[in-house]
Amino acid sequence: MLNDKVKNYLHLHFLVFIAGFTAILGKLISLEAVSLVWYRMVIAAIIMFLYIKIAKIDISINKQTLAKFSIAGVIIALHWITFFAAIDVSNVSIALAMFSTGAFFASFIEPIIYKRKIIWYEIVFGIIVILGILIILKTEMKHISGIILGVLSAFFSSLFAVLNGKFLEKDSATKISFYEFIAGVVFISIFIIIFGQGFSSQYFALSTQDVIYLLILASICTAYAFIASVYVMKQISPYTVVLTYNLEPIYGIVLALIIFPETEIMSSSFYYGAIIILTTVLLNGIIKNIKAFKNKNTQNQKFV
């Protein structure tokens, strides 16, 4: 029998695998990015609402907080739209490699939101990340649209993560996510009505395959993954969680190579650049968590 600690570690890796598999589903679903994200957020919001009712979670909220959550909901919607659009115009490998640049953006966004100084090594890592992108661009200019969309997706993801970190200081993750999903649905719905073709009967005429993949994406890869990740973070140290989630692009790229070898095999320069980016993100996570651990020990010693 596996002990609880091993079970929690396996659960964490399963969640990271699910995160990487999200990109695979994005390629399998035939819908364009905006519609895909609309369906994802609608279904996830419904599932989240059912969970809230069953668990009897208090979701009362004031107008000011609702406005903040709504802004974050628009940002996460933009992140998902640009991410899946990057897959549409290029491939999974490009989208995931560019998604890894999020740590570079976070190094500038965090000081603004949390009002702290910019750390020198974050700037160095940011320069190295840019070098990795340039190496990829050297032979992958045909994927320039996907690279730009992937970088935009990473920016929105980092902005969302930093804002959510602030929100979690006062509210539960479930409450935050529910209102963010609702705001995202409203935002995309308005976009579809004004700039798209509206919600005609044809819009809801989905293939059986798309319905199945959307249900997996919204239920397992969104609602379940989010709720489960909150649980795992209570059982495993933040250090381990952060480092393990850095494996998401690796899992995703390996899966893409296995499932879509005809479109995912890239040039050697791509893999050199991707390795540089992923290694930099990993080092950044290690250094930050070591510093956080030392600071925690220092604070504990003051009370001894």
Side-chain angles (χ1 to χ4, degrees):
M1 293 290 290
L2 296 175
N3 59 42
D4 290 340
K5 188 173 183 180
V6 174
K7 287 180 180 178
N8 287 326
Y9 280 125
L10 290 174
H11 193 185
L12 174 59
H13 276 277
F14 178 63
L15 291 174
V16 178
F17 173 82
I18 288 175
F21 191 67
T22 298
I24 303 299
L25 288 171
K27 192 172 180 71
L28 290 172
I29 296 171
S30 64
L31 299 174
E32 49 82 31
V34 174
S35 296
L36 190 160
V37 176
W38 185 85
Y39 276 106
R40 178 184 190 178
M41 298 192 86
V42 167
I43 298 170
I46 293 171
I47 294 171
M48 192 71 73
F49 179 73
L50 293 174
Y51 172 75
I52 288 168
K53 287 298 182 182
I54 294 171
K56 296 180 180 179
I57 298 171
D58 177 25
I59 58 171
S60 57
I61 193 174
N62 59 49
K63 291 181 180 179
Q64 185 178 7
T65 304
L66 177 60
K68 292 178 181 178
F69 291 171
S70 297
I71 292 171
V74 172
I75 292 171
I76 191 60
L78 289 171
H79 156 59
W80 281 335
I81 289 170
T82 50
F83 179 73
F84 289 120
I87 294 173
D88 288 342
V89 300
S90 56
N91 58 30
V92 172
S93 298
I94 288 289
L96 286 172
M98 294 304 103
F99 175 70
S100 301
T101 64
F104 166 65
F105 292 113
S107 66
F108 293 97
I109 296 171
E110 276 188 17
I112 296 172
I113 302 296
Y114 288 94
K115 297 178 181 179
R116 66 164 175 82
K117 293 181 179 179
I118 294 176
I119 302 172
W120 68 268
Y121 67 78
E122 290 181 337
I123 302 300
V124 174
F125 285 158
I127 294 171
I128 296 173
V129 165
I130 292 173
L131 176 63
I133 295 174
L134 292 175
I135 291 173
I136 291 174
L137 281 171
K138 185 179 178 182
T139 56
E140 302 297 340
M141 280 301 294
K142 63 183 178 182
H143 293 300
I144 185 63
S145 296
I147 289 171
I148 292 172
L149 285 167
V151 170
L152 276 174
S153 175
F155 168 76
F156 288 128
S157 174
S158 298
L159 180 57
F160 173 76
V162 174
L163 289 175
N164 251 21
K166 267 290 188 183
F167 298 158
L168 285 168
E169 294 175 359
K170 296 181 180 180
D171 293 286
S172 71
T174 304
K175 178 195 289 189
I176 295 168
S177 296
F178 175 68
Y179 286 111
E180 287 172 344
F181 288 164
I182 295 297
V185 170
V186 172
F187 166 70
I188 300 174
S189 297
I190 293 172
F191 178 88
I192 291 172
I193 292 170
I194 296 175
F195 300 102
Q197 297 179 348
F199 293 99
S200 63
S201 58
Q202 187 63 32
Y203 189 86
F204 299 99
L206 304 178
S207 68
T208 303
Q209 179 176 285
D210 280 344
V211 170
I212 293 172
Y213 289 148
L214 280 168
L215 287 173
I216 295 172
L217 177 65
S219 59
I220 298 175
C221 298
T222 307
Y224 161 74
F226 196 94
I227 295 169
S229 65
V230 173
Y231 170 79
V232 167
M233 286 178 187
K234 294 178 181 178
Q235 310 298 321
I236 299 176
S237 71
Y239 172 84
T240 302
V241 173
V242 170
L243 290 187
T244 306
Y245 262 95
N246 285 330
L247 295 173
E248 175 188 342
I250 298 174
Y251 284 164
I253 290 172
V254 171
L255 280 172
L257 282 170
I258 295 171
I259 300 172
F260 311 111
E262 68 282 356
T263 60
E264 296 296 332
I265 295 177
M266 310 290 286
S267 66
S268 57
S269 293
F270 167 81
Y271 294 108
Y272 294 148
I275 289 171
I276 289 173
I277 294 170
L278 292 169
T279 302
T280 303
V281 171
L282 190 65
L283 287 173
N284 182 51
I286 291 172
I287 292 173
K288 279 189 174 181
N289 282 282
I290 288 175
K291 289 183 69 175
F293 180 75
K294 287 182 178 179
N295 290 337
K296 185 178 180 180
N297 282 347
T298 301
Q299 289 175 355
N300 290 338
Q301 288 173 3
K302 291 179 181 179
F303 295 96
V304 174

